[in-house]
Amino acid sequence: MIVQQHWWNGSSTARFRRDVYIRSDGSQWDVLVQMGGSAGRYRVQECPGRGSALIVADAWRGTNEEWQEVKPQAAAG
């Protein structure tokens, strides 16, 4: 799965950090939500397409304006 979009809530404290990722392998889509930094808990929700993945990601982010989009790293090659 390749990260297509990534947002984080702006918290530098691992305990309060939240990340939302939209991922795809070209045919399958999912939304991964990470709570508590890279060592924290996570949840993955499979989606039938990009549109539904955007809806799920928006729901996880809610109305909090602190969320910032992180540009995915370009693949080496």
Side-chain angles (χ1 to χ4, degrees), residues 17-70:
R17 182 176 176 130
R18 303 290 183 268
D19 292 271
V20 176
Y21 301 87
I22 294 178
R23 307 182 308 169
S24 177
D25 65 2
S27 61
Q28 296 180 329
W29 292 83
D30 69 28
V31 175
L32 180 140
V33 179
Q34 201 164 27
M35 300 155 275
S38 60
R41 298 176 301 141
Y42 67 92
R43 171 176 279 158
V44 177
Q45 183 168 345
E46 294 181 10
C47 300
R50 181 177 179 77
S52 59
L54 283 167
I55 291 168
V56 171
D58 286 346
W60 275 102
R61 292 192 327 266
T63 59
N64 184 346
E65 295 181 12
E66 300 288 318
W67 287 91
Q68 303 168 26
E69 186 166 3
V70 178

Side-chain angles (χ1 to χ4, degrees), residues 3-8 21 68-74:
V3 174
Q4 303 294 321
Q5 287 184 272
H6 172 203
W7 297 268
W8 75 298
Y21 301 87
Q68 303 168 26
E69 186 166 3
V70 178
K71 297 295 179 191
Q73 297 290 325

